Amino acid sequence: MRSIVPEKDEIVTTTTTTTAEAPASQAHGRIGLPTASALYVAAVLGTGILVLPGLGVDAAGPASILAVVIVLALSIPLAGTFAALAGRYPDGGGVATFVRLALGDTAARATGYLFLFGVGFGAPVVAALGGEYVTSAFGLDRGWVAPIGLGFLALSLVLNLFGLRVSGGVQLGLSALLVTVVIGVISSAAPAVRPDNFEPFMPHGWAGVGLAVSLFVWAFAGGEAITHVAHEFRNPRRTIIWATVIGISVVGAAYLALQVVTVGVFGAAGSQSEAPLIDLVAVNWPGFGPAVVGGIATVIVLGVLNAYVPAFANLTASLGRDRHLPRWFAKGGEAGAVPRRAIALVAVLNLGYASVFFVFGLELETFILIHTASMVSLYFAGMVAAVRLLERGTVGWWMAVVSLVFTGALLVLAWQNLLVPAMLVVVAVVVTLIRRARRG
């Protein structure tokens, strides 16, 4: 598969950018709007509903509702910018492709590494949450958390070996169940909401709200994952725009309603268990509710992994194509094909990260913050590229400008967790320097 721009290997590019469409990926896939929307909802809503409402309350108390509103409002232009870029430049490289077009090879390599190796820290989180909910719901010993979590990862990898058309069809059903369970949880717990639980509204001050905002980046992250499969969509420009509109509307409504109910039921103390969603359902459905949520949590976890595995795999194939990884991984990266070699690398990374997490008993929040710091770094690079690539003065360009300011502020908030992203950027620069030394 040919690269969409001429090869170059520079730390900084000084060439001017163009708003012309990239010529790659002319042969698009057959994925329509329903499946595209399902992938978006699963990637963004996902496992965050299993843990973030509780973590948000711990960080900011009732003001966690304000944190949700802030992140939701600022995520709209971010999602719109990614949709505009993916519609114009549909390619398996996703954000790395946008950055390459605007900023050159080294920046693209760093962006690709941020997603593949940095955002990949989310895999153990997804696996652990799945294991926690299944064991809690069915009364199993906590020793089963790790095997169940690793089983989720393995199943998602196997499913994607059959291609996006098969996994995408499964995703449509999984996302429908996901939305159904959120509506059910909110409806079941709403009668138990107490107005006095919303006071004091900001027990930890603005610092708590800032921490909650950093956590809720996880809640609204995921839209960038769809950019890696945009070349599989039928009529990418139109499909991804409408999938984004549908997805962000569903996710925003779900998180806001769920946070209000969580605060209203538990107050500033929040839920005290590892599975707060089960506690929320158990308020009015004791005995029966936890088992239902445990089963649906299985669907949620598989849905999220099923959305992210093809994104990681397509990115890996594109990094191989563009020589940021060995070219051996590039096979299967074109629209309609299955990048099985890339999936093998994704399997090593996901299962490896998860094994380290479980063996050493590491903290869930630590992995979430590394994941979100990598995601914010990726977003910032993508928005810099968008400002250069999109036509100046258009709606898309203004959304990119707003999002650039937003992601810059998030980088400041995440400064304590930027060690891993910084290391990945350094590795990308070192690779460039080594290549230049060899060629010189």
Side-chain angles (χ1 to χ4, degrees), residues 15 36 47-49 65 93 108 134 181 202 210 216 308 341 344 380 396 408 417:
T15 57
T47 54
I49 67 170
I65 298 170
V134 171
V181 71
M202 200 177 292
F216 277 111
Y308 266 93
R341 294 178 180 180
F380 184 78
N417 307 299

Side-chain angles (χ1 to χ4, degrees), residues 111-152:
T111 303
Y113 290 175
L114 282 170
F115 190 77
L116 183 61
F117 301 109
V119 175
F121 273 85
V125 177
V126 175
L129 290 175
E132 288 285 358
Y133 265 80
V134 171
T135 55
S136 295
F138 298 105
L140 301 176
D141 185 88
R142 291 199 74 254
W144 283 99
V145 170
I148 291 172
L150 292 171
F152 280 134

Side-chain angles (χ1 to χ4, degrees), residues 23-417:
S25 302
Q26 293 297 322
H28 302 306
R30 300 179 181 179
I31 302 300
L33 180 59
T35 301
S37 300
L39 286 166
Y40 195 103
V41 169
V44 181
L45 184 57
T47 54
I49 67 170
L50 301 179
V51 65
L52 283 177
L55 290 177
V57 172
D58 290 342
S64 57
I65 298 170
L66 177 60
V68 173
V69 172
I70 291 172
V71 178
L72 172 60
L74 293 174
S75 68
I76 292 173
L78 186 68
T81 303
F82 278 132
L85 287 170
R88 287 166 174 76
Y89 310 103
D91 181 74
V95 182
T97 292
F98 313 148
V99 172
R100 184 178 186 187
L101 288 169
L103 303 173
D105 267 2
T106 301
R109 183 182 303 118
T111 303
Y113 290 175
L114 282 170
F115 190 77
L116 183 61
F117 301 109
V119 175
F121 273 85
V125 177
V126 175
L129 290 175
E132 288 285 358
Y133 265 80
V134 171
T135 55
S136 295
F138 298 105
L140 301 176
D141 185 88
R142 291 199 74 254
W144 283 99
V145 170
I148 291 172
L150 292 171
F152 280 134
L153 290 171
L155 181 58
S156 67
L157 291 162
V158 170
L159 181 62
N160 277 275
L161 289 174
F162 295 96
L164 191 58
R165 291 192 67 188
V166 173
S167 63
V170 172
Q171 191 66 63
L172 193 58
L174 292 176
S175 291
L177 283 173
L178 175 57
V179 173
T180 300
V181 71
V182 172
I183 294 173
V185 168
I186 294 170
S187 300
S188 69
V193 169
R194 295 169 49 194
D196 56 306
N197 280 335
F198 293 90
E199 297 292 341
F201 185 72
M202 200 177 292
H204 307 300
W206 284 105
V209 175
L211 176 58
V213 166
S214 295
L215 290 168
F216 277 111
V217 170
W218 171 282
F220 294 94
E224 80 295 329
I226 307 304
T227 67
H228 294 279
V229 295
H231 63 302
E232 299 280 0
F233 294 164
R234 183 169 55 246
N235 190 352
R237 177 176 289 193
R238 180 177 180 180
T239 299
I240 198 165
I241 288 175
W242 281 108
T244 300
V245 170
I246 294 171
I248 202 69
S249 298
V250 171
V251 171
Y255 266 109
L256 186 56
L258 193 58
Q259 198 64 31
V260 170
V261 170
T262 300
V263 172
V265 171
F266 297 118
S271 171
Q272 301 304 309
S273 79
E274 297 290 337
L277 194 63
I278 288 180
D279 292 344
L280 201 60
V281 176
V283 171
N284 287 319
W285 292 349
F288 176 72
V292 172
V293 174
I296 297 299
T298 301
V299 175
I300 293 173
V301 170
L302 287 177
V304 172
L305 293 173
N306 194 46
Y308 266 93
V309 167
F312 283 127
N314 281 324
L315 171 63
T316 300
S318 74
L319 291 175
R321 175 200 67 195
D322 297 335
R323 300 178 184 273
H324 302 314
L325 290 175
R327 286 186 64 85
W328 186 83
F329 291 112
K331 185 176 181 181
E334 62 274 9
V338 182
R340 293 188 174 88
R341 294 178 180 180
I343 291 175
L345 178 59
V346 174
V348 171
L349 291 173
N350 285 359
L351 294 173
Y353 283 175
S355 296
V356 170
F357 176 83
F358 288 124
V359 168
F360 292 98
L362 301 177
E363 292 291 331
L364 196 67
E365 184 171 326
T366 300
F367 273 60
I368 290 177
L369 291 173
I370 293 175
H371 167 93
T372 55
S374 300
M375 191 75 78
V376 168
S377 303
L378 175 84
Y379 284 172
F380 184 78
M383 292 307 102
V384 171
V387 170
R388 298 196 67 187
L389 289 173
L390 298 175
E391 185 177 353
R392 190 178 184 88
T394 61
V395 173
W397 184 84
W398 279 112
M399 287 194 298
V401 171
V402 171
S403 299
L404 182 60
V405 175
F406 170 46
T407 53
L410 287 177
L411 274 177
V412 174
L413 286 174
W415 70 272
Q416 291 179 308
N417 307 299

